[in-house]
Amino acid sequence: TYIPGTSQPGTFLYVLASGAPCPNDTAFVTVNEQPALDPGLNDSALVCGSGIAFNLIDSLGGAPDVSGTWSDPANNPHGGVFDPAVDPEGLYTYTVAGGTACEAVSTLYVSVLDPFVDAGADQAICIGDTAQLNGTGTGNVVWTPGLTLSDSLITDPLAYPTSTTTYTLTLIDVLGCVNSDQLVLTVNALPNADAGADVAICNGDDTPIGGSPTGPAGSIFSWSNAGSLDNGTAANPVAAPTITTTYVVTVNDVNSCSSSDSVTVTVNP
């Protein structure tokens, strides 16, 4: 029996004895030992999801031989470079002298850190209004763009954009790992309110008021001085004032934005 690492390499004679009158059969076997390749020592690596690609072998312990091959956590062949932007975290296996009697392996567990950050839900406001942003995350934060914010360096600034804007909240944690999230703040225009042209009537007469249209379809209408109107919530009510009266219509559209306009009905004796 030959024991690698213990027995002395060399040439050995193998004799197969046979019964007389047949001669014994012989064979020579030469054993050469090659030094075992070192796969290195098992280890682990911690990398930011926003970090740069690195050579896996550099994170193994010991002095691994560079001739080996890598496989990923699903046991598929993998190159020697780990890119946190595309590669999954998990157990990576390094094999030297693969497929031979001298095969040896080591493993490297790679953990990818993406700090938690949440910009909050998308919102909608009317032009001229202000929105409260509600981001969350632990670390140093910055919102971009910051020109339409009360403070771009806190998680919950006030936003007052004049057009629809996508805000990005970027966070850097204590380990220097970076992550970001976005929200869209939609800015809706105010509805066009038209109370109609001023009009004059004789005392005792009536007249329809409101525009054509008074406001966008689906809007809710509210008229002042509704006591002299047949319907204070109609788009085009009939007015029957006994004295000269100014009516103000407030139009609330489907986006909950509102605007107003006025019309004066002059009453002649």
Side-chain angles (χ1 to χ4, degrees):
T1 300
Y2 184 88
I3 303 175
T6 300
S7 303
Q8 185 68 30
T11 300
F12 301 88
L13 173 64
Y14 178 72
V15 179
L16 178 61
S18 60
C22 297
N24 293 337
D25 197 6
T26 61
F28 290 94
V29 177
T30 300
V31 177
N32 295 312
E33 283 193 7
Q34 296 180 344
L37 298 179
D38 184 359
L41 302 175
N42 298 341
D43 213 327
S44 61
L46 193 61
V47 60
C48 296
S50 57
I52 61 174
F54 67 96
N55 291 317
L56 289 165
I57 198 170
D58 292 340
S59 295
L60 288 173
D65 188 272
V66 298
S67 65
T69 58
W70 286 95
S71 58
D72 66 14
N75 205 33
N76 296 314
H78 190 279
V81 175
F82 182 92
D83 186 349
V86 295
D87 292 326
E89 67 177 9
L91 190 66
Y92 287 77
T93 302
Y94 185 62
T95 304
V96 294
T100 71
C102 299
E103 179 177 306
V105 301
S106 61
T107 58
L108 179 69
Y109 194 92
V110 182
S111 299
V112 179
L113 294 181
D114 286 309
F116 174 78
V117 61
D118 183 2
D122 293 343
Q123 298 186 48
I125 61 172
C126 304
I127 191 167
D129 288 347
T130 298
Q132 175 73 66
L133 304 188
N134 293 291
T136 54
T138 301
N140 294 321
V141 298
V142 59
W143 288 93
T144 53
L147 291 178
T148 54
L149 298 176
S150 61
D151 188 341
S152 63
L153 301 179
I154 61 176
T155 56
D156 56 350
L158 297 176
Y160 39 87
T162 57
S163 61
T164 296
T165 302
T166 298
Y167 290 101
T168 300
L169 177 60
T170 301
L171 180 144
I172 304 175
D173 69 7
V174 294
L175 298 177
C177 296
V178 181
N179 201 6
S180 62
D181 191 34
Q182 294 181 327
L183 69 82
V184 177
L185 182 53
T186 300
V187 179
N188 294 309
L190 301 181
N192 181 36
D194 183 6
D198 293 344
V199 63
I201 62 173
C202 296
N203 192 13
D205 289 345
D206 58 39
T207 182
I209 57 175
S212 299
T214 303
S219 297
I220 297 174
F221 305 95
S222 178
W223 290 88
S224 66
N225 295 313
S228 56
L229 301 176
D230 67 333
N231 187 339
T233 59
N236 297 95
V238 175
T242 58
I243 60 173
T244 297
T245 303
T246 296
Y247 297 94
V248 177
V249 62
T250 300
V251 179
N252 288 278
D253 67 11
V254 294
N255 295 317
S256 298
C257 297
S258 65
S259 60
S260 299
D261 192 31
S262 64
V263 60
T264 298
V265 178
T266 301
V267 180
N268 296 314

